[in-house]
Amino acid sequence: MNNSVTNTVRLLWAGLRALLVLTLVTGVVYPLVVTGIAQGLFSDQANGSEIKSDGKVVGSSLIGQAYNLPLKKGQETPEPDLKWFQGRPQNGLGSNSVNTQYKLILSGATNRSADNKDLIDWVTAAKAAVVKDNSVNGYTVKPSEVPADAVTSSGSGLDPDISPQYADIQVHRIAEKNGLSVAQVQKLVDDHTERRTLGFIGEPRVNVLELNIALKELAAKS
């Protein structure tokens, strides 16, 4: 009987020691090591790829943000604030501290096929809006010049980037709305255009939040 109790106690103690060691290794040591490596080698990514403006975090370079006017009485869908570069059509997005009502809600795709009538209607309306909004005095956008990313959302609806082509057709409108020259705004776009990763991965792109922060700073100086 005594041997049985002793063996039971030994087994319990062995199990407790194993639990304590595993807890220490997997619950304390391993997370600290991984966190330390991440902060040491990939601190920007580990902290959420934050973007700052005026010393404050205004968003992430990985998540798109909308630039809309406040809702008017009776409105269900806000109108775009055309003094800012606009991103792709988005789901679940608010605005940011440049446009002060940022609120991330949900993300998701439309899940509609290419021949779906609703999707066709959305794209048709979006293209007409892009042409109308970006055609200003002395500059007219042709429907054939509107790129796909200007009228379709990404799979998540949170794409932070637009194509250089979509940024370019917004240049004249941005210049007019902000009292800037076309050359000044075009330089902003060119300076914020990222090329393919390693020269062959992905497509050239422009981060809309970073571009709008630069636009805000340029407009403030003018």
Side-chain angles (χ1 to χ4, degrees):
M1 185 67 178
N2 289 337
N3 288 338
S4 176
V5 171
T6 300
N7 288 335
T8 299
V9 171
R10 286 176 177 173
L11 288 173
L12 289 173
W13 175 237
L16 179 60
R17 282 184 298 176
L19 175 62
L20 292 173
V21 171
L22 289 173
T23 299
L24 179 64
V25 172
T26 62
V28 179
V29 176
Y30 178 74
L32 288 176
V33 170
V34 171
T35 300
I37 292 173
Q39 289 294 335
L41 300 179
F42 312 102
S43 59
D44 180 58
Q45 295 89 333
N47 291 317
S49 301
E50 297 172 339
I51 294 178
K52 294 183 178 181
S53 177
D54 297 326
K56 298 179 181 179
V57 175
V58 296
S60 168
S61 63
L62 304 177
I63 300 176
Q65 301 183 17
Y67 299 84
N68 296 324
L69 294 169
L71 278 172
K72 298 176 182 177
K73 187 175 181 180
Q75 271 189 331
E76 292 185 2
T77 304
E79 298 175 1
D81 188 343
L82 296 179
K83 72 178 182 179
W84 302 112
F85 282 94
Q86 297 295 312
R88 299 183 66 170
Q90 301 156 326
N91 299 319
L93 291 179
S95 53
N96 66 7
S97 62
V98 175
N99 184 26
T100 56
Q101 300 172 12
Y102 174 64
K103 183 179 180 183
L104 181 62
I105 308 173
L106 300 173
S107 70
T110 61
N111 291 324
R112 285 169 169 78
S113 62
D115 61 353
N116 179 272
K117 184 180 183 304
D118 288 340
L119 180 60
I120 293 172
D121 290 344
W122 293 342
V123 170
T124 301
K127 178 175 284 191
V130 170
V131 170
K132 176 178 178 292
D133 290 343
N134 292 286
S135 294
V136 297
N137 291 331
Y139 178 78
T140 300
V141 177
K142 299 176 182 178
S144 60
E145 295 173 333
V146 178
D149 62 298
V151 297
T152 58
S153 63
S154 62
S156 66
L158 305 177
D159 193 343
D161 303 320
I162 57 175
S163 65
Q165 291 80 6
Y166 186 25
D168 286 344
I169 65 175
Q170 299 185 61
V171 165
H172 285 76
R173 185 248 302 163
I174 292 294
E176 183 178 275
K177 294 289 184 181
N178 290 278
L180 300 169
S181 71
V182 170
Q184 284 178 301
V185 180
Q186 186 62 60
K187 186 176 186 304
L188 279 185
V189 172
D190 295 342
D191 289 346
H192 287 81
T193 298
E194 299 179 45
R195 303 304 173 187
R196 289 181 173 89
T197 303
L198 300 179
F200 67 94
I201 299 175
E203 295 294 330
R205 58 203 179 275
V206 182
N207 186 282
V208 181
L209 176 55
E210 292 178 348
L211 182 59
N212 276 333
I213 291 172
L215 172 62
K216 179 184 177 184
E217 292 172 352
L218 178 61
K221 295 176 183 177
S222 301

